[in-house]
Amino acid sequence: GLSLGEYTALCAAGVLSFEDGLKIVKVRGEAMQEAASVSKQLMLSVAGLEKPKLQELCGEAAKKEGSGAVCQIANELFPKGFSVAGTEKSILALKELADKAGALQAKVLKTSGAFHTPLMQPAQDKLSQALQEVLPNMKPPRHTVWMNASAQPMRPGTDPAEIVELLKRQLTNPVLWEPSMKALLDEGITQFYEVGPQKQIKAMMKRIDANAWKAMKNIDV
């Protein structure tokens, strides 16, 4: 699952009960919103640049803003497709730099905060406390779950404490979606389902692997 969807995946794998899952995502959402309101933050969708080039531009943008600047890749979505988040001035500077560098797209997103960056540290602290409270109820996964923060599999029988640490990391570190999908493909996974009202995940899969995209089914809920 992507970002919040990771909790859905963990519920499906039996790690979290539905009730504990709801409790955690409520705390997570409220804490992220609170962290987003502390300062002016933005997210930028960038397509058409290689990761090293985008990271270089992030550094330049942060230097332009100076002290306290944050400009970091927040989501690795598909080849040359990213979202970047950070402080408002840095992200606006990055948009200008990305356009000049020949990006196919550099669009400010209508989100309220710099999710999956260090600006979410206050939210991470609150989430950590909530996760520790439900940890005694958590169970090892029944199925393998690939985690956003590492793109690594949590196999059946994994200690839930390991999963908790990765859930904490996810708030302040990039969601490694493309690497996760490639790991699934390397594992020999051939069946993919997108559960939700739209087809954004399938659209991204088209750019990751054409065969997986053709095989992916959308399940409306």
Side-chain angles (χ1 to χ4, degrees), residues 179-196:
S180 295
M181 292 302 99
K182 287 183 174 178
L184 284 164
L185 292 164
D186 288 344
E187 188 97 349
I189 304 297
T190 57
Q191 293 181 320
F192 293 88
Y193 300 88
E194 179 175 5
V195 182

Side-chain angles (χ1 to χ4, degrees), residues 125-137:
D125 295 339
K126 293 181 179 179
L127 176 65
S128 295
Q129 182 179 345
L131 285 168
Q132 289 305 134
E133 289 175 3
V134 302
L135 179 56
N137 301 334

Side-chain angles (χ1 to χ4, degrees), residues 68-111:
V70 173
C71 188
Q72 174 179 303
I73 292 174
N75 295 281
E76 298 184 19
L77 299 171
F78 52 85
K80 298 184 182 180
F82 307 89
S83 64
V84 182
T87 45
E88 183 181 68
K89 287 183 180 179
S90 290
I91 295 301
L92 292 176
L94 177 64
K95 174 175 169 47
E96 187 177 330
L97 290 168
D99 284 333
K100 288 180 180 177
L104 298 175
Q105 175 179 287
K107 179 182 178 182
V108 175
L109 298 173
K110 294 179 180 179
T111 55

